[in-house]
Amino acid sequence: GDSVTQMEGPVTLSEEAFLTINCTYTATGYPSLFWYVQYPGEGLQLLLKATKADDKGSNKGFEATYRKETTSFHLEKGSVQVSDSAVYFCALSEGAGNKLTFGGGTRVLVKP
Amino acid sequence: KAGVTQTPRYLIKTRGQQVTLSCSPISGHRSVSWYQQTPGQGLQFLFEYFSETQRNKGNFPGRFSGRQFSNSRSEMNVSTLELGDSALYLCASSLDSANSPLHFGNGTRLTVT
């Protein structure tokens, strides 16, 4: 079945540092890929998505590129802020409907 | 525009009891999905409803069930509660058009004692 593997946290960074969170997936077909973010005390929010190979999703300074050859969708941000402290989830969706398969989540803590 | 509303926010139940959780989707959204979030298993898909029909189902026992009403509101029910059912239950709604994102509620935190 489908699966998503992402790097375990927590990841602790200083403000303005570069952030990378690795995500790889296993799927039988051609899934859509997503990054969701969960800020403290809040629900999950869609951060960005990509629906086909070589697509780049971007939002709020975050980027991720759909790499079919390496089955990866790594999340990057060039300069993080304290407000980026959250748990980040990589996910995929395949087939009809809205069934998401999530990775285990990566907690990111940005210190001033 | 109101977001996805889940009630109640917190629930404490005893082993063996049953529980019903409610989800009101964003107006106009016809797809409603449910997820279980636990520290050990992470986020796991329970089921999805669209136009009152179950469209997708995850790998959960039959004690977990759901339904959707004609106004797209959804409920999920867990019978014969077990300690391991303690979790944050998240509901998400979607327009269900191509590339429409899921909008998640803040969840119902269920504690089984």
Side-chain angles (χ1 to χ4, degrees), chain A residues 32 36 38 41-46 49 51 89 96-104, chain B residues 31 33 35 37 43 45 48 55-57 90 94 96 99-102 104-106:
Chain A
S32 294
Y36 279 83
Q38 190 171 35
E42 298 184 17
L44 282 164
Q45 302 173 27
L46 177 65
K49 67 179 182 183
T51 57
F89 293 91
N98 288 307
K99 176 183 177 181
L100 286 174
T101 300
F102 284 92
Chain B
S31 167
S33 310
Y35 291 81
Q37 186 175 22
L43 277 156
F45 173 79
E48 180 203 3
R55 183 159 67 175
N56 280 300
K57 189 177 188 304
L90 295 170
S94 168
D96 201 55
N99 299 323
S100 57
L102 292 185
F104 282 83
N106 288 339

PDB file of all heavy atoms in Angstrom, chain A residues 32 36 38 41-46 49 51 89 96-104, chain B residues 31 33 35 37 43 45 48 55-57 90 94 96 99-102 104-106:
ATOM      1  N   SER A  32      -0.829  12.697  -5.844  1.00  0.00           N
ATOM      2  CA  SER A  32      -0.611  14.115  -5.534  1.00  0.00           C
ATOM      3  C   SER A  32       0.098  14.161  -4.185  1.00  0.00           C
ATOM      4  O   SER A  32      -0.128  13.321  -3.317  1.00  0.00           O
ATOM      5  CB  SER A  32      -1.949  14.853  -5.444  1.00  0.00           C
ATOM      6  OG  SER A  32      -2.589  14.882  -6.694  1.00  0.00           O
ATOM      7  N   TYR A  36       1.437  19.555   4.966  1.00  0.00           N
ATOM      8  CA  TYR A  36       0.520  20.199   5.896  1.00  0.00           C
ATOM      9  C   TYR A  36       1.318  20.654   7.116  1.00  0.00           C
ATOM     10  O   TYR A  36       2.336  20.046   7.471  1.00  0.00           O
ATOM     11  CB  TYR A  36      -0.578  19.229   6.344  1.00  0.00           C
ATOM     12  CG  TYR A  36      -1.709  19.086   5.365  1.00  0.00           C
ATOM     13  CD1 TYR A  36      -1.608  18.227   4.274  1.00  0.00           C
ATOM     14  CD2 TYR A  36      -2.884  19.818   5.513  1.00  0.00           C
ATOM     15  CE1 TYR A  36      -2.649  18.100   3.367  1.00  0.00           C
ATOM     16  CE2 TYR A  36      -3.924  19.701   4.617  1.00  0.00           C
ATOM     17  CZ  TYR A  36      -3.796  18.848   3.549  1.00  0.00           C
ATOM     18  OH  TYR A  36      -4.830  18.729   2.651  1.00  0.00           O
ATOM     19  N   GLN A  38       0.940  21.981  11.280  1.00  0.00           N
ATOM     20  CA  GLN A  38       0.082  22.066  12.472  1.00  0.00           C
ATOM     21  C   GLN A  38       0.779  22.965  13.481  1.00  0.00           C
ATOM     22  O   GLN A  38       1.746  22.555  14.121  1.00  0.00           O
ATOM     23  CB  GLN A  38      -0.156  20.666  13.049  1.00  0.00           C
ATOM     24  CG  GLN A  38      -1.214  20.589  14.121  1.00  0.00           C
ATOM     25  CD  GLN A  38      -1.538  19.137  14.494  1.00  0.00           C
ATOM     26  OE1 GLN A  38      -0.671  18.274  14.502  1.00  0.00           O
ATOM     27  NE2 GLN A  38      -2.801  18.861  14.798  1.00  0.00           N
ATOM     28  N   GLY A  41      -1.673  24.214  19.081  1.00  0.00           N
ATOM     29  CA  GLY A  41      -3.053  24.509  19.443  1.00  0.00           C
ATOM     30  C   GLY A  41      -3.996  24.703  18.279  1.00  0.00           C
ATOM     31  O   GLY A  41      -5.158  25.075  18.473  1.00  0.00           O
ATOM     32  N   GLU A  42      -3.531  24.464  17.066  1.00  0.00           N
ATOM     33  CA  GLU A  42      -4.376  24.677  15.898  1.00  0.00           C
ATOM     34  C   GLU A  42      -4.548  23.387  15.103  1.00  0.00           C
ATOM     35  O   GLU A  42      -3.847  22.397  15.322  1.00  0.00           O
ATOM     36  CB  GLU A  42      -3.783  25.755  15.000  1.00  0.00           C
ATOM     37  CG  GLU A  42      -3.677  27.121  15.678  1.00  0.00           C
ATOM     38  CD  GLU A  42      -3.168  28.186  14.718  1.00  0.00           C
ATOM     39  OE1 GLU A  42      -3.208  27.963  13.498  1.00  0.00           O
ATOM     40  OE2 GLU A  42      -2.723  29.246  15.219  1.00  0.00           O
ATOM     41  N   GLY A  43      -5.460  23.415  14.160  1.00  0.00           N
ATOM     42  CA  GLY A  43      -5.672  22.268  13.287  1.00  0.00           C
ATOM     43  C   GLY A  43      -4.670  22.242  12.146  1.00  0.00           C
ATOM     44  O   GLY A  43      -3.878  23.160  11.965  1.00  0.00           O
ATOM     45  N   LEU A  44      -4.718  21.184  11.378  1.00  0.00           N
ATOM     46  CA  LEU A  44      -3.847  21.045  10.221  1.00  0.00           C
ATOM     47  C   LEU A  44      -4.218  22.053   9.138  1.00  0.00           C
ATOM     48  O   LEU A  44      -5.392  22.268   8.863  1.00  0.00           O
ATOM     49  CB  LEU A  44      -3.984  19.642   9.622  1.00  0.00           C
ATOM     50  CG  LEU A  44      -3.262  18.512  10.332  1.00  0.00           C
ATOM     51  CD1 LEU A  44      -3.804  17.181   9.850  1.00  0.00           C
ATOM     52  CD2 LEU A  44      -1.779  18.589  10.082  1.00  0.00           C
ATOM     53  N   GLN A  45      -3.184  22.629   8.518  1.00  0.00           N
ATOM     54  CA  GLN A  45      -3.415  23.554   7.408  1.00  0.00           C
ATOM     55  C   GLN A  45      -2.576  23.109   6.222  1.00  0.00           C
ATOM     56  O   GLN A  45      -1.422  22.705   6.404  1.00  0.00           O
ATOM     57  CB  GLN A  45      -2.993  24.972   7.782  1.00  0.00           C
ATOM     58  CG  GLN A  45      -3.664  25.572   8.986  1.00  0.00           C
ATOM     59  CD  GLN A  45      -3.060  26.909   9.357  1.00  0.00           C
ATOM     60  OE1 GLN A  45      -2.516  27.618   8.513  1.00  0.00           O
ATOM     61  NE2 GLN A  45      -3.143  27.262  10.624  1.00  0.00           N
ATOM     62  N   LEU A  46      -3.147  23.201   5.044  1.00  0.00           N
ATOM     63  CA  LEU A  46      -2.370  22.900   3.842  1.00  0.00           C
ATOM     64  C   LEU A  46      -1.310  23.975   3.649  1.00  0.00           C
ATOM     65  O   LEU A  46      -1.615  25.171   3.629  1.00  0.00           O
ATOM     66  CB  LEU A  46      -3.285  22.846   2.621  1.00  0.00           C
ATOM     67  CG  LEU A  46      -2.587  22.609   1.284  1.00  0.00           C
ATOM     68  CD1 LEU A  46      -1.950  21.215   1.258  1.00  0.00           C
ATOM     69  CD2 LEU A  46      -3.566  22.769   0.130  1.00  0.00           C
ATOM     70  N   LYS A  49       1.284  22.082  -2.237  1.00  0.00           N
ATOM     71  CA  LYS A  49       1.005  20.810  -2.882  1.00  0.00           C
ATOM     72  C   LYS A  49       1.597  20.775  -4.276  1.00  0.00           C
ATOM     73  O   LYS A  49       1.948  21.822  -4.855  1.00  0.00           O
ATOM     74  CB  LYS A  49      -0.505  20.574  -2.956  1.00  0.00           C
ATOM     75  CG  LYS A  49      -1.210  21.548  -3.880  1.00  0.00           C
ATOM     76  CD  LYS A  49      -2.700  21.261  -3.944  1.00  0.00           C
ATOM     77  CE  LYS A  49      -3.376  22.220  -4.907  1.00  0.00           C
ATOM     78  NZ  LYS A  49      -4.835  22.025  -4.963  1.00  0.00           N
ATOM     79  N   THR A  51       0.898  18.246  -7.929  1.00  0.00           N
ATOM     80  CA  THR A  51       0.032  17.194  -8.441  1.00  0.00           C
ATOM     81  C   THR A  51       0.681  16.330  -9.519  1.00  0.00           C
ATOM     82  O   THR A  51       0.113  15.286  -9.882  1.00  0.00           O
ATOM     83  CB  THR A  51      -1.271  17.782  -8.995  1.00  0.00           C
ATOM     84  OG1 THR A  51      -0.936  18.735 -10.005  1.00  0.00           O
ATOM     85  CG2 THR A  51      -2.065  18.457  -7.896  1.00  0.00           C
ATOM     86  N   PHE A  89       3.791  17.869   8.245  1.00  0.00           N
ATOM     87  CA  PHE A  89       3.409  16.537   7.777  1.00  0.00           C
ATOM     88  C   PHE A  89       3.467  16.481   6.258  1.00  0.00           C
ATOM     89  O   PHE A  89       2.867  17.318   5.580  1.00  0.00           O
ATOM     90  CB  PHE A  89       1.975  16.199   8.204  1.00  0.00           C
ATOM     91  CG  PHE A  89       1.784  16.047   9.674  1.00  0.00           C
ATOM     92  CD1 PHE A  89       1.423  17.127  10.463  1.00  0.00           C
ATOM     93  CD2 PHE A  89       1.943  14.806  10.289  1.00  0.00           C
ATOM     94  CE1 PHE A  89       1.241  17.000  11.827  1.00  0.00           C
ATOM     95  CE2 PHE A  89       1.762  14.662  11.653  1.00  0.00           C
ATOM     96  CZ  PHE A  89       1.410  15.760  12.417  1.00  0.00           C
ATOM     97  N   ALA A  96      -9.404   8.170  -6.534  1.00  0.00           N
ATOM     98  CA  ALA A  96     -10.560   9.033  -6.351  1.00  0.00           C
ATOM     99  C   ALA A  96     -10.755   9.376  -4.880  1.00  0.00           C
ATOM    100  O   ALA A  96     -10.398   8.606  -4.003  1.00  0.00           O
ATOM    101  CB  ALA A  96     -11.804   8.335  -6.884  1.00  0.00           C
ATOM    102  N   GLY A  97     -11.317  10.499  -4.648  1.00  0.00           N
ATOM    103  CA  GLY A  97     -11.634  10.881  -3.282  1.00  0.00           C
ATOM    104  C   GLY A  97     -10.518  11.608  -2.585  1.00  0.00           C
ATOM    105  O   GLY A  97      -9.533  12.014  -3.189  1.00  0.00           O
ATOM    106  N   ASN A  98     -10.669  11.767  -1.278  1.00  0.00           N
ATOM    107  CA  ASN A  98      -9.769  12.588  -0.478  1.00  0.00           C
ATOM    108  C   ASN A  98      -9.089  11.798   0.623  1.00  0.00           C
ATOM    109  O   ASN A  98      -8.963  12.264   1.744  1.00  0.00           O
ATOM    110  CB  ASN A  98     -10.550  13.757   0.124  1.00  0.00           C
ATOM    111  CG  ASN A  98     -10.926  14.782  -0.921  1.00  0.00           C
ATOM    112  OD1 ASN A  98     -10.080  15.269  -1.654  1.00  0.00           O
ATOM    113  ND2 ASN A  98     -12.203  15.103  -0.999  1.00  0.00           N
ATOM    114  N   LYS A  99      -8.634  10.600   0.320  1.00  0.00           N
ATOM    115  CA  LYS A  99      -7.914   9.814   1.308  1.00  0.00           C
ATOM    116  C   LYS A  99      -6.445  10.215   1.290  1.00  0.00           C
ATOM    117  O   LYS A  99      -5.759  10.049   0.285  1.00  0.00           O
ATOM    118  CB  LYS A  99      -8.040   8.325   0.985  1.00  0.00           C
ATOM    119  CG  LYS A  99      -7.238   7.441   1.923  1.00  0.00           C
ATOM    120  CD  LYS A  99      -7.343   5.987   1.520  1.00  0.00           C
ATOM    121  CE  LYS A  99      -6.471   5.116   2.416  1.00  0.00           C
ATOM    122  NZ  LYS A  99      -6.537   3.687   2.025  1.00  0.00           N
ATOM    123  N   LEU A 100      -5.989  10.772   2.419  1.00  0.00           N
ATOM    124  CA  LEU A 100      -4.594  11.171   2.544  1.00  0.00           C
ATOM    125  C   LEU A 100      -3.834  10.144   3.368  1.00  0.00           C
ATOM    126  O   LEU A 100      -4.314   9.689   4.403  1.00  0.00           O
ATOM    127  CB  LEU A 100      -4.477  12.518   3.247  1.00  0.00           C
ATOM    128  CG  LEU A 100      -4.865  13.771   2.450  1.00  0.00           C
ATOM    129  CD1 LEU A 100      -4.819  14.997   3.341  1.00  0.00           C
ATOM    130  CD2 LEU A 100      -3.930  13.954   1.278  1.00  0.00           C
ATOM    131  N   THR A 101      -2.630   9.811   2.899  1.00  0.00           N
ATOM    132  CA  THR A 101      -1.699   8.999   3.673  1.00  0.00           C
ATOM    133  C   THR A 101      -0.610   9.935   4.171  1.00  0.00           C
ATOM    134  O   THR A 101       0.072  10.583   3.362  1.00  0.00           O
ATOM    135  CB  THR A 101      -1.083   7.886   2.818  1.00  0.00           C
ATOM    136  OG1 THR A 101      -2.132   7.043   2.332  1.00  0.00           O
ATOM    137  CG2 THR A 101      -0.103   7.050   3.635  1.00  0.00           C
ATOM    138  N   PHE A 102      -0.455  10.001   5.497  1.00  0.00           N
ATOM    139  CA  PHE A 102       0.469  10.959   6.101  1.00  0.00           C
ATOM    140  C   PHE A 102       1.773  10.288   6.542  1.00  0.00           C
ATOM    141  O   PHE A 102       1.789   9.111   6.936  1.00  0.00           O
ATOM    142  CB  PHE A 102      -0.168  11.588   7.348  1.00  0.00           C
ATOM    143  CG  PHE A 102      -1.202  12.633   7.070  1.00  0.00           C
ATOM    144  CD1 PHE A 102      -2.533  12.298   6.979  1.00  0.00           C
ATOM    145  CD2 PHE A 102      -0.835  13.957   6.919  1.00  0.00           C
ATOM    146  CE1 PHE A 102      -3.500  13.268   6.729  1.00  0.00           C
ATOM    147  CE2 PHE A 102      -1.780  14.940   6.668  1.00  0.00           C
ATOM    148  CZ  PHE A 102      -3.117  14.589   6.577  1.00  0.00           C
ATOM    149  N   GLY A 103       2.830  11.081   6.531  1.00  0.00           N
ATOM    150  CA  GLY A 103       4.055  10.698   7.214  1.00  0.00           C
ATOM    151  C   GLY A 103       3.883  10.936   8.705  1.00  0.00           C
ATOM    152  O   GLY A 103       2.863  11.453   9.157  1.00  0.00           O
ATOM    153  N   GLY A 104       4.916  10.585   9.468  1.00  0.00           N
ATOM    154  CA  GLY A 104       4.826  10.648  10.917  1.00  0.00           C
ATOM    155  C   GLY A 104       4.910  12.045  11.507  1.00  0.00           C
ATOM    156  O   GLY A 104       4.675  12.223  12.701  1.00  0.00           O
TER     157      GLY A 104
ATOM    158  N   SER B  31     -17.583  16.805   0.611  1.00  0.00           N
ATOM    159  CA  SER B  31     -16.738  15.689   1.036  1.00  0.00           C
ATOM    160  C   SER B  31     -16.294  15.914   2.474  1.00  0.00           C
ATOM    161  O   SER B  31     -15.810  16.999   2.822  1.00  0.00           O
ATOM    162  CB  SER B  31     -15.511  15.587   0.126  1.00  0.00           C
ATOM    163  OG  SER B  31     -14.545  14.723   0.689  1.00  0.00           O
ATOM    164  N   SER B  33     -14.014  13.927   5.536  1.00  0.00           N
ATOM    165  CA  SER B  33     -13.129  12.818   5.897  1.00  0.00           C
ATOM    166  C   SER B  33     -12.844  12.859   7.389  1.00  0.00           C
ATOM    167  O   SER B  33     -12.861  13.925   7.998  1.00  0.00           O
ATOM    168  CB  SER B  33     -11.791  12.928   5.149  1.00  0.00           C
ATOM    169  OG  SER B  33     -11.975  13.111   3.774  1.00  0.00           O
ATOM    170  N   TYR B  35     -10.017  11.462  10.448  1.00  0.00           N
ATOM    171  CA  TYR B  35      -8.679  10.949  10.725  1.00  0.00           C
ATOM    172  C   TYR B  35      -8.492  10.792  12.234  1.00  0.00           C
ATOM    173  O   TYR B  35      -9.037  11.567  13.013  1.00  0.00           O
ATOM    174  CB  TYR B  35      -7.596  11.896  10.195  1.00  0.00           C
ATOM    175  CG  TYR B  35      -7.528  11.963   8.699  1.00  0.00           C
ATOM    176  CD1 TYR B  35      -8.408  12.766   7.978  1.00  0.00           C
ATOM    177  CD2 TYR B  35      -6.605  11.204   7.995  1.00  0.00           C
ATOM    178  CE1 TYR B  35      -8.374  12.802   6.597  1.00  0.00           C
ATOM    179  CE2 TYR B  35      -6.552  11.247   6.605  1.00  0.00           C
ATOM    180  CZ  TYR B  35      -7.449  12.042   5.922  1.00  0.00           C
ATOM    181  OH  TYR B  35      -7.396  12.076   4.561  1.00  0.00           O
ATOM    182  N   GLN B  37      -5.548  10.801  15.143  1.00  0.00           N
ATOM    183  CA  GLN B  37      -4.171  11.203  15.381  1.00  0.00           C
ATOM    184  C   GLN B  37      -3.736  10.758  16.774  1.00  0.00           C
ATOM    185  O   GLN B  37      -4.330  11.161  17.779  1.00  0.00           O
ATOM    186  CB  GLN B  37      -3.997  12.719  15.244  1.00  0.00           C
ATOM    187  CG  GLN B  37      -2.544  13.174  15.349  1.00  0.00           C
ATOM    188  CD  GLN B  37      -2.364  14.667  15.102  1.00  0.00           C
ATOM    189  OE1 GLN B  37      -3.295  15.456  15.235  1.00  0.00           O
ATOM    190  NE2 GLN B  37      -1.161  15.066  14.713  1.00  0.00           N
ATOM    191  N   LEU B  43      -1.098  10.143  12.059  1.00  0.00           N
ATOM    192  CA  LEU B  43      -2.393  10.456  11.451  1.00  0.00           C
ATOM    193  C   LEU B  43      -2.826   9.295  10.569  1.00  0.00           C
ATOM    194  O   LEU B  43      -2.142   8.946   9.613  1.00  0.00           O
ATOM    195  CB  LEU B  43      -2.273  11.715  10.586  1.00  0.00           C
ATOM    196  CG  LEU B  43      -2.374  13.035  11.310  1.00  0.00           C
ATOM    197  CD1 LEU B  43      -1.672  14.129  10.523  1.00  0.00           C
ATOM    198  CD2 LEU B  43      -3.840  13.391  11.523  1.00  0.00           C
ATOM    199  N   PHE B  45      -6.113   7.568   8.341  1.00  0.00           N
ATOM    200  CA  PHE B  45      -7.390   7.797   7.678  1.00  0.00           C
ATOM    201  C   PHE B  45      -8.424   6.801   8.180  1.00  0.00           C
ATOM    202  O   PHE B  45      -8.177   5.588   8.219  1.00  0.00           O
ATOM    203  CB  PHE B  45      -7.189   7.656   6.172  1.00  0.00           C
ATOM    204  CG  PHE B  45      -8.442   7.704   5.362  1.00  0.00           C
ATOM    205  CD1 PHE B  45      -9.061   8.900   5.068  1.00  0.00           C
ATOM    206  CD2 PHE B  45      -9.007   6.532   4.881  1.00  0.00           C
ATOM    207  CE1 PHE B  45     -10.210   8.947   4.299  1.00  0.00           C
ATOM    208  CE2 PHE B  45     -10.154   6.559   4.120  1.00  0.00           C
ATOM    209  CZ  PHE B  45     -10.760   7.766   3.827  1.00  0.00           C
ATOM    210  N   GLU B  48     -14.140   8.402   4.459  1.00  0.00           N
ATOM    211  CA  GLU B  48     -14.550   9.608   3.767  1.00  0.00           C
ATOM    212  C   GLU B  48     -15.982   9.433   3.282  1.00  0.00           C
ATOM    213  O   GLU B  48     -16.357   8.353   2.799  1.00  0.00           O
ATOM    214  CB  GLU B  48     -13.662   9.906   2.561  1.00  0.00           C
ATOM    215  CG  GLU B  48     -14.066  11.181   1.816  1.00  0.00           C
ATOM    216  CD  GLU B  48     -13.609  11.215   0.369  1.00  0.00           C
ATOM    217  OE1 GLU B  48     -13.018  10.225  -0.098  1.00  0.00           O
ATOM    218  OE2 GLU B  48     -13.838  12.247  -0.282  1.00  0.00           O
ATOM    219  N   ARG B  55     -17.193   6.808   0.590  1.00  0.00           N
ATOM    220  CA  ARG B  55     -16.426   6.669  -0.651  1.00  0.00           C
ATOM    221  C   ARG B  55     -15.093   5.962  -0.432  1.00  0.00           C
ATOM    222  O   ARG B  55     -14.595   5.299  -1.330  1.00  0.00           O
ATOM    223  CB  ARG B  55     -16.195   8.051  -1.250  1.00  0.00           C
ATOM    224  CG  ARG B  55     -15.472   8.023  -2.583  1.00  0.00           C
ATOM    225  CD  ARG B  55     -15.692   9.284  -3.363  1.00  0.00           C
ATOM    226  NE  ARG B  55     -15.089  10.456  -2.748  1.00  0.00           N
ATOM    227  CZ  ARG B  55     -15.086  11.665  -3.323  1.00  0.00           C
ATOM    228  NH1 ARG B  55     -15.638  11.840  -4.506  1.00  0.00           N
ATOM    229  NH2 ARG B  55     -14.531  12.695  -2.708  1.00  0.00           N
ATOM    230  N   ASN B  56     -14.502   6.139   0.729  1.00  0.00           N
ATOM    231  CA  ASN B  56     -13.235   5.493   1.045  1.00  0.00           C
ATOM    232  C   ASN B  56     -13.264   5.040   2.497  1.00  0.00           C
ATOM    233  O   ASN B  56     -13.923   5.667   3.333  1.00  0.00           O
ATOM    234  CB  ASN B  56     -12.047   6.461   0.866  1.00  0.00           C
ATOM    235  CG  ASN B  56     -11.627   6.615  -0.574  1.00  0.00           C
ATOM    236  OD1 ASN B  56     -11.248   5.655  -1.223  1.00  0.00           O
ATOM    237  ND2 ASN B  56     -11.703   7.842  -1.074  1.00  0.00           N
ATOM    238  N   LYS B  57     -12.518   3.991   2.783  1.00  0.00           N
ATOM    239  CA  LYS B  57     -12.486   3.479   4.138  1.00  0.00           C
ATOM    240  C   LYS B  57     -11.064   3.069   4.481  1.00  0.00           C
ATOM    241  O   LYS B  57     -10.382   2.449   3.660  1.00  0.00           O
ATOM    242  CB  LYS B  57     -13.428   2.278   4.268  1.00  0.00           C
ATOM    243  CG  LYS B  57     -13.629   1.794   5.694  1.00  0.00           C
ATOM    244  CD  LYS B  57     -14.630   0.641   5.713  1.00  0.00           C
ATOM    245  CE  LYS B  57     -15.007   0.253   7.142  1.00  0.00           C
ATOM    246  NZ  LYS B  57     -13.847  -0.080   7.967  1.00  0.00           N
ATOM    247  N   LEU B  90      -9.796  14.052  13.930  1.00  0.00           N
ATOM    248  CA  LEU B  90      -9.857  15.216  13.061  1.00  0.00           C
ATOM    249  C   LEU B  90     -10.829  14.984  11.922  1.00  0.00           C
ATOM    250  O   LEU B  90     -10.854  13.905  11.328  1.00  0.00           O
ATOM    251  CB  LEU B  90      -8.469  15.520  12.484  1.00  0.00           C
ATOM    252  CG  LEU B  90      -7.398  15.945  13.477  1.00  0.00           C
ATOM    253  CD1 LEU B  90      -6.037  15.965  12.819  1.00  0.00           C
ATOM    254  CD2 LEU B  90      -7.714  17.319  14.039  1.00  0.00           C
ATOM    255  N   SER B  94     -13.960  19.204   2.035  1.00  0.00           N
ATOM    256  CA  SER B  94     -13.407  19.627   0.753  1.00  0.00           C
ATOM    257  C   SER B  94     -14.531  19.884  -0.238  1.00  0.00           C
ATOM    258  O   SER B  94     -15.591  19.269  -0.159  1.00  0.00           O
ATOM    259  CB  SER B  94     -12.481  18.528   0.215  1.00  0.00           C
ATOM    260  OG  SER B  94     -12.133  18.765  -1.120  1.00  0.00           O
ATOM    261  N   ASP B  96     -14.228  19.028  -3.224  1.00  0.00           N
ATOM    262  CA  ASP B  96     -14.144  17.832  -4.056  1.00  0.00           C
ATOM    263  C   ASP B  96     -14.056  18.143  -5.549  1.00  0.00           C
ATOM    264  O   ASP B  96     -14.355  17.318  -6.380  1.00  0.00           O
ATOM    265  CB  ASP B  96     -15.321  16.884  -3.808  1.00  0.00           C
ATOM    266  CG  ASP B  96     -14.985  15.469  -4.263  1.00  0.00           C
ATOM    267  OD1 ASP B  96     -13.964  14.952  -3.804  1.00  0.00           O
ATOM    268  OD2 ASP B  96     -15.719  14.911  -5.076  1.00  0.00           O
ATOM    269  N   ASN B  99      -8.125  19.280  -7.455  1.00  0.00           N
ATOM    270  CA  ASN B  99      -7.112  20.045  -6.721  1.00  0.00           C
ATOM    271  C   ASN B  99      -7.665  20.883  -5.579  1.00  0.00           C
ATOM    272  O   ASN B  99      -6.992  21.790  -5.098  1.00  0.00           O
ATOM    273  CB  ASN B  99      -6.321  20.969  -7.657  1.00  0.00           C
ATOM    274  CG  ASN B  99      -5.578  20.186  -8.724  1.00  0.00           C
ATOM    275  OD1 ASN B  99      -5.073  19.110  -8.449  1.00  0.00           O
ATOM    276  ND2 ASN B  99      -5.558  20.701  -9.926  1.00  0.00           N
ATOM    277  N   SER B 100      -8.870  20.637  -5.129  1.00  0.00           N
ATOM    278  CA  SER B 100      -9.381  21.394  -3.980  1.00  0.00           C
ATOM    279  C   SER B 100      -8.775  20.831  -2.704  1.00  0.00           C
ATOM    280  O   SER B 100      -8.749  19.615  -2.510  1.00  0.00           O
ATOM    281  CB  SER B 100     -10.904  21.345  -3.932  1.00  0.00           C
ATOM    282  OG  SER B 100     -11.362  20.021  -3.888  1.00  0.00           O
ATOM    283  N   PRO B 101      -8.268  21.688  -1.832  1.00  0.00           N
ATOM    284  CA  PRO B 101      -7.576  21.194  -0.641  1.00  0.00           C
ATOM    285  C   PRO B 101      -8.544  20.739   0.450  1.00  0.00           C
ATOM    286  O   PRO B 101      -9.717  21.098   0.448  1.00  0.00           O
ATOM    287  CB  PRO B 101      -6.799  22.429  -0.168  1.00  0.00           C
ATOM    288  CG  PRO B 101      -7.639  23.577  -0.608  1.00  0.00           C
ATOM    289  CD  PRO B 101      -8.266  23.151  -1.907  1.00  0.00           C
ATOM    290  N   LEU B 102      -8.025  19.966   1.383  1.00  0.00           N
ATOM    291  CA  LEU B 102      -8.778  19.605   2.580  1.00  0.00           C
ATOM    292  C   LEU B 102      -8.640  20.718   3.610  1.00  0.00           C
ATOM    293  O   LEU B 102      -7.562  21.257   3.812  1.00  0.00           O
ATOM    294  CB  LEU B 102      -8.245  18.304   3.184  1.00  0.00           C
ATOM    295  CG  LEU B 102      -8.443  17.017   2.393  1.00  0.00           C
ATOM    296  CD1 LEU B 102      -7.968  15.839   3.221  1.00  0.00           C
ATOM    297  CD2 LEU B 102      -9.882  16.842   2.006  1.00  0.00           C
ATOM    298  N   PHE B 104      -9.154  21.270   7.599  1.00  0.00           N
ATOM    299  CA  PHE B 104      -9.304  20.487   8.819  1.00  0.00           C
ATOM    300  C   PHE B 104      -9.920  21.316   9.942  1.00  0.00           C
ATOM    301  O   PHE B 104      -9.660  22.520  10.066  1.00  0.00           O
ATOM    302  CB  PHE B 104      -7.942  19.976   9.289  1.00  0.00           C
ATOM    303  CG  PHE B 104      -7.435  18.798   8.517  1.00  0.00           C
ATOM    304  CD1 PHE B 104      -6.782  18.971   7.308  1.00  0.00           C
ATOM    305  CD2 PHE B 104      -7.624  17.516   8.993  1.00  0.00           C
ATOM    306  CE1 PHE B 104      -6.319  17.873   6.585  1.00  0.00           C
ATOM    307  CE2 PHE B 104      -7.162  16.413   8.292  1.00  0.00           C
ATOM    308  CZ  PHE B 104      -6.512  16.590   7.085  1.00  0.00           C
ATOM    309  N   GLY B 105     -10.704  20.629  10.772  1.00  0.00           N
ATOM    310  CA  GLY B 105     -11.160  21.212  12.024  1.00  0.00           C
ATOM    311  C   GLY B 105     -10.085  21.075  13.091  1.00  0.00           C
ATOM    312  O   GLY B 105      -9.034  20.474  12.856  1.00  0.00           O
ATOM    313  N   ASN B 106     -10.357  21.624  14.276  1.00  0.00           N
ATOM    314  CA  ASN B 106      -9.392  21.560  15.376  1.00  0.00           C
ATOM    315  C   ASN B 106      -9.449  20.242  16.142  1.00  0.00           C
ATOM    316  O   ASN B 106      -8.598  19.997  16.993  1.00  0.00           O
ATOM    317  CB  ASN B 106      -9.601  22.721  16.343  1.00  0.00           C
ATOM    318  CG  ASN B 106      -9.141  24.032  15.746  1.00  0.00           C
ATOM    319  OD1 ASN B 106      -8.338  24.052  14.824  1.00  0.00           O
ATOM    320  ND2 ASN B 106      -9.663  25.129  16.261  1.00  0.00           N
TER     321      ASN B 106
END
